Amino acid sequence: VQENLRWNVDRSVADRICNFNRHYAEYSGYFKTVPEFLNETNDTPAGKEITFYDSNTGKPLFYAPRGRTMEQFIKESRNHGWPSFRDDEVEWKNVRLLENGETVSVDGTHLGHNLPDGKGSRYCINLVCVAGNPTK
Protein backbone atom coordinates (compact mmCIF):
# COMPACT_ATOMS: atom_id res chain seq x y z
CA VAL A 1 0.00 0.00 0.00
CA GLN A 2 0.98 3.62 -0.33
CA GLU A 3 3.01 5.38 2.33
CA ASN A 4 1.20 8.08 4.34
CA LEU A 5 -2.36 6.93 3.78
CA ARG A 6 -5.09 9.52 4.21
CA TRP A 7 -6.75 10.09 7.56
CA ASN A 8 -3.79 8.51 9.36
CA VAL A 9 -5.22 5.01 8.94
CA ASP A 10 -3.04 2.12 10.02
CA ARG A 11 -0.80 1.12 7.09
CA SER A 12 -0.13 -2.41 8.37
CA VAL A 13 -3.87 -3.06 8.74
CA ALA A 14 -4.41 -1.64 5.25
CA ASP A 15 -1.75 -3.92 3.79
CA ARG A 16 -3.20 -6.98 5.51
CA ILE A 17 -6.84 -6.26 4.60
CA CYS A 18 -6.33 -4.89 1.08
CA ASN A 19 -3.64 -7.24 -0.20
CA PHE A 20 -3.52 -10.50 1.70
CA ASN A 21 -7.18 -11.21 2.23
CA ARG A 22 -10.35 -12.12 0.36
CA HIS A 23 -12.84 -12.45 3.23
CA TYR A 24 -11.97 -10.41 6.31
CA ALA A 25 -12.48 -6.76 7.14
CA GLU A 26 -11.31 -4.09 9.50
CA TYR A 27 -13.40 -4.31 12.64
CA SER A 28 -16.95 -2.97 12.53
CA GLY A 29 -16.99 0.69 13.40
CA TYR A 30 -13.27 1.23 12.70
CA PHE A 31 -14.03 4.36 10.65
CA LYS A 32 -15.70 5.92 13.71
CA THR A 33 -12.32 5.78 15.51
CA VAL A 34 -10.52 7.81 12.81
CA PRO A 35 -10.91 11.47 13.81
CA GLU A 36 -9.25 12.79 10.64
CA PHE A 37 -11.87 11.05 8.53
CA LEU A 38 -14.77 12.19 10.71
CA ASN A 39 -13.43 15.75 10.66
CA GLU A 40 -13.32 15.69 6.86
CA THR A 41 -16.91 14.49 6.68
CA ASN A 42 -17.95 17.25 9.08
CA ASP A 43 -16.00 19.90 7.18
CA THR A 44 -17.25 18.95 3.71
CA PRO A 45 -19.74 21.62 2.63
CA ALA A 46 -23.24 20.64 1.56
CA GLY A 47 -23.28 19.73 -2.12
CA LYS A 48 -19.60 18.68 -2.11
CA GLU A 49 -18.26 15.15 -1.94
CA ILE A 50 -15.22 13.22 -0.76
CA THR A 51 -13.31 11.10 -3.26
CA PHE A 52 -12.06 7.78 -1.92
CA TYR A 53 -8.89 6.43 -3.59
CA ASP A 54 -7.40 2.94 -3.83
CA SER A 55 -4.85 2.54 -1.04
CA ASN A 56 -2.50 0.76 -3.46
CA THR A 57 -2.84 2.65 -6.74
CA GLY A 58 -4.41 6.00 -5.87
CA LYS A 59 -7.17 5.53 -8.47
CA PRO A 60 -10.58 7.01 -7.56
CA LEU A 61 -13.04 4.34 -6.42
CA PHE A 62 -15.97 6.01 -4.66
CA TYR A 63 -17.50 9.47 -4.26
CA ALA A 64 -19.73 10.34 -1.33
CA PRO A 65 -22.24 11.61 -0.83
CA ARG A 66 -23.94 11.40 -4.22
CA GLY A 67 -27.71 11.55 -4.39
CA ARG A 68 -27.93 12.01 -0.62
CA THR A 69 -26.53 14.19 2.12
CA MET A 70 -23.34 13.62 4.07
CA GLU A 71 -25.50 13.10 7.14
CA GLN A 72 -27.35 10.28 5.35
CA PHE A 73 -24.06 8.71 4.19
CA ILE A 74 -22.60 8.78 7.72
CA LYS A 75 -25.83 7.54 9.32
CA GLU A 76 -26.03 4.55 6.98
CA SER A 77 -22.31 3.84 7.47
CA ARG A 78 -22.70 3.98 11.25
CA ASN A 79 -25.72 1.66 11.09
CA HIS A 80 -23.78 -0.98 9.16
CA GLY A 81 -20.29 -0.53 10.65
CA TRP A 82 -18.40 0.36 7.49
CA PRO A 83 -18.48 3.21 5.00
CA SER A 84 -21.48 2.23 2.88
CA PHE A 85 -21.73 3.31 -0.73
CA ARG A 86 -24.55 3.04 -3.27
CA ASP A 87 -24.32 2.37 -7.03
CA ASP A 88 -24.26 6.09 -7.93
CA GLU A 89 -21.22 6.57 -5.69
CA VAL A 90 -19.06 3.89 -7.39
CA GLU A 91 -16.41 4.70 -10.01
CA TRP A 92 -17.20 1.67 -12.15
CA LYS A 93 -14.19 2.04 -14.45
CA ASN A 94 -12.02 1.21 -11.40
CA VAL A 95 -14.27 -1.11 -9.34
CA ARG A 96 -15.54 -4.64 -9.95
CA LEU A 97 -18.17 -6.68 -8.15
CA LEU A 98 -17.40 -10.41 -8.10
CA GLU A 99 -20.11 -13.09 -8.19
CA ASN A 100 -19.67 -13.82 -4.48
CA GLY A 101 -20.31 -10.16 -3.56
CA GLU A 102 -16.66 -9.27 -2.97
CA THR A 103 -15.89 -5.76 -4.16
CA VAL A 104 -12.40 -5.22 -5.59
CA SER A 105 -10.53 -2.61 -7.56
CA VAL A 106 -9.60 -3.40 -11.16
CA ASP A 107 -6.03 -3.73 -9.87
CA GLY A 108 -6.99 -6.44 -7.36
CA THR A 109 -7.27 -4.47 -4.12
CA HIS A 110 -9.82 -6.08 -1.81
CA LEU A 111 -12.26 -3.31 -0.85
CA GLY A 112 -15.16 -5.00 0.95
CA HIS A 113 -18.46 -6.64 0.05
CA ASN A 114 -21.82 -5.83 -1.48
CA LEU A 115 -24.53 -6.45 1.10
CA PRO A 116 -27.77 -5.45 -0.65
CA ASP A 117 -30.74 -4.19 1.33
CA GLY A 118 -34.23 -2.96 0.47
CA LYS A 119 -32.77 0.09 -1.29
CA GLY A 120 -30.49 -1.94 -3.59
CA SER A 121 -26.78 -2.64 -3.62
CA ARG A 122 -24.86 -1.43 -0.57
CA TYR A 123 -21.08 -1.66 -0.74
CA CYS A 124 -19.63 -1.98 2.77
CA ILE A 125 -16.05 -0.90 2.25
CA ASN A 126 -12.97 -0.96 4.49
CA LEU A 127 -11.81 2.61 5.09
CA VAL A 128 -8.18 1.43 5.12
CA CYS A 129 -8.58 0.20 1.51
CA VAL A 130 -9.93 3.51 0.18
CA ALA A 131 -7.57 5.84 2.05
CA GLY A 132 -5.08 6.23 -0.78
CA ASN A 133 -3.72 9.48 -2.12
CA PRO A 134 -4.60 10.37 -5.70
CA THR A 135 -1.97 9.57 -8.30
CA LYS A 136 -0.75 12.54 -10.22
Side-chain angles (χ1 to χ4, degrees):
V1 295
Q2 295 177 340
E3 299 288 336
N4 303 312
L5 292 171
R6 290 167 69 198
W7 309 303
N8 248 350
V9 300
D10 188 310
R11 187 173 185 272
S12 65
V13 171
D15 192 41
R16 188 173 69 248
I17 298 294
C18 305
N19 295 324
F20 300 99
N21 161 57
R22 304 311 294 178
H23 305 288
Y24 302 106
E26 65 199 15
Y27 64 84
S28 177
Y30 172 80
F31 79 95
K32 296 186 284 187
T33 70
V34 181
E36 294 88 343
F37 173 69
L38 296 175
N39 289 340
E40 185 170 344
T41 65
N42 289 332
D43 295 342
T44 300
K48 299 291 183 187
E49 55 192 30
I50 297 172
T51 302
F52 296 81
Y53 299 93
D54 188 315
S55 291
N56 284 309
T57 67
K59 290 180 181 176
L61 302 174
F62 299 95
Y63 310 95
R66 268 198 186 161
R68 56 183 171 166
T69 66
M70 184 65 77
E71 184 178 331
Q72 291 168 320
F73 167 70
I74 293 298
K75 181 179 181 188
E76 182 170 55
S77 297
R78 284 183 189 276
N79 288 344
H80 298 291
W82 289 269
S84 296
F85 301 92
R86 296 294 177 165
D87 283 327
D88 290 346
E89 297 171 319
V90 181
E91 179 57 74
W92 287 111
K93 73 178 183 183
N94 296 327
V95 175
R96 296 292 178 266
L97 177 61
L98 304 183
E99 286 184 23
N100 65 358
E102 182 184 3
T103 306
V104 298
S105 77
V106 295
D107 297 295
T109 304
H110 171 80
L111 304 173
H113 288 85
N114 179 27
L115 303 171
D117 63 10
K119 297 177 187 175
S121 290
R122 177 173 43 87
Y123 307 94
C124 294
I125 302 299
N126 296 290
L127 184 66
V128 296
C129 298
V130 293
N133 292 290
T135 51
K136 302 203 176 0

